[in-house]
Amino acid sequence: MLWIIIVLLVNLLIETSVSLTVVVPPDPIVAHVGSTVILPCWISPPENAEALEIRWYRQDHFNNPVLLYNHGKIQDIQECYRKRSSLTLRSDQSGGLKDGDVSLRLMKLTFQDEGPFHCYVSGEHLYDSKEVVLKITDSSGPWMTISISLILLICVLLGLFGLILCKYRGKLKGHEEKTMKELENRVVGDANIEELRKHAVEITIDREHLHPDLTVIKDCKILRDSDKYEHTGEGFPYELCAFGAQRFTSGRHYWEVDLAVPPNPPKNFWIIGVVKHGNFITKDSSALTPSRGFWFLCSDGPRGFYTNTDPPVKLSLTPRPERLGVLLDYDHGQLSFYNVTERKHLLTISSRFSGSVAPLFSPGAGDESALKILDLPKPAEPAEPSPLLSNNSSDA
């Protein structure tokens, strides 16, 4: 009788042990106030999650979830997240719940949304939970602080000096609406290429650390594979990478790369991104990860577009980019890519940079077109006042 009881207890422990694996990104997800974000979470290896319980909750509020899915449908959504949260796909290639994708979409983000979100998935005898950290940033910079200060000041002045401010109300209201409109344009909408180019920097190829099967011409701006290079055709030639001669340790830096030289079609093979200074390229793609100091977007011909993140993000980009814009926001840990011709934001990789990083380029192999780093016009500086005008003003 005793051994039967022991066997039953062992079986019970096995059945109730954690044997379902939930996976989330290792780094915090960074998003702006007012935007929409996806908190990725999936089951590995993939399995159908339609019959499982999926519970997203914050900190210790397990019984008051942000979103609860069970018995094949959404059962509950926390009051402050109604009409703002839903289950979604973490990428265009995701199979959704049938493929074990239990990612959460949050819309109209506020500063109160910052912090950890727990993804809890459970079945009849198994469960697992992981934490995704959401970081909220204010993309409008000092304008938001100025706007809030103005609004508070206006409220106080209206309370104390309502009669005095009455005749100025139209002017103040117009200034407030203009300020809020500027903030909104910075948070949402298509890519503002002119705004991005305010952070433009000159980029050149570092000849001293150039792979011998790469050719650089025209002031270290044009890069292509050598005529003598023989590619086996088995996978992307990751070793054919070049580094930018510039190094960055802070701030925002923007550059553009031409991927089509008429009459040739756009390039099918390329890598564009950044790399931690001092790292070396290898043929082994598994070594080219963000944790080892590599961040890039790759175009691998018929295999499509993908990032080197873990897991990789696959994109369906139509039409194929002819000019790619890159914005490195070192301080906020973001690397963003833009289709300059279509004026569209393609992707932002969020990570943590340390030390100095340099631009990273690869022209791939076999394309007719080369990869060309563009010289962007510097933003016009405000003209200095005329000395004659200054003298007249002082005399007055």
Side-chain angles (χ1 to χ4, degrees), residues 40-62:
C41 182
W42 63 98
I43 300 172
S44 180
E47 66 172 86
N48 194 324
E50 291 179 319
L52 300 179
E53 175 185 322
I54 303 165
R55 181 186 299 262
W56 282 89
Y57 66 96
R58 306 211 57 187
Q59 297 181 359
D60 298 329
H61 301 291
F62 183 87

Side-chain angles (χ1 to χ4, degrees), residues 282-311:
T282 70
K283 294 183 180 181
D284 183 10
S285 61
S286 64
L288 307 180
T289 62
S291 61
R292 299 192 180 186
F294 297 90
W295 303 267
F296 59 76
L297 176 63
C298 178
S299 173
D300 196 1
R303 299 177 184 88
F305 302 86
Y306 54 85
T307 65
N308 69 317
T309 53
D310 184 20

Side-chain angles (χ1 to χ4, degrees), residues 17-38:
S17 63
V18 178
S19 57
L20 183 150
T21 302
V22 171
V23 183
V24 298
D27 297 322
I29 304 297
V30 181
H32 298 310
V33 171
S35 66
T36 297
V37 70
I38 295 176

Side-chain angles (χ1 to χ4, degrees), residues 12-13 32 48 51 72 74 87 100 134 149 156 162 217 234 275 283 288 300 309 346 349 357 362 393:
L12 180 61
L13 289 173
H32 298 310
N48 194 324
I74 302 295
L87 294 178
L134 176 61
S149 300
V156 173
I217 58 176
E234 297 177 359
V275 58
K283 294 183 180 181
L288 307 180
D300 196 1
T309 53
L346 302 179
I349 297 176
V357 298
S362 172
S393 299

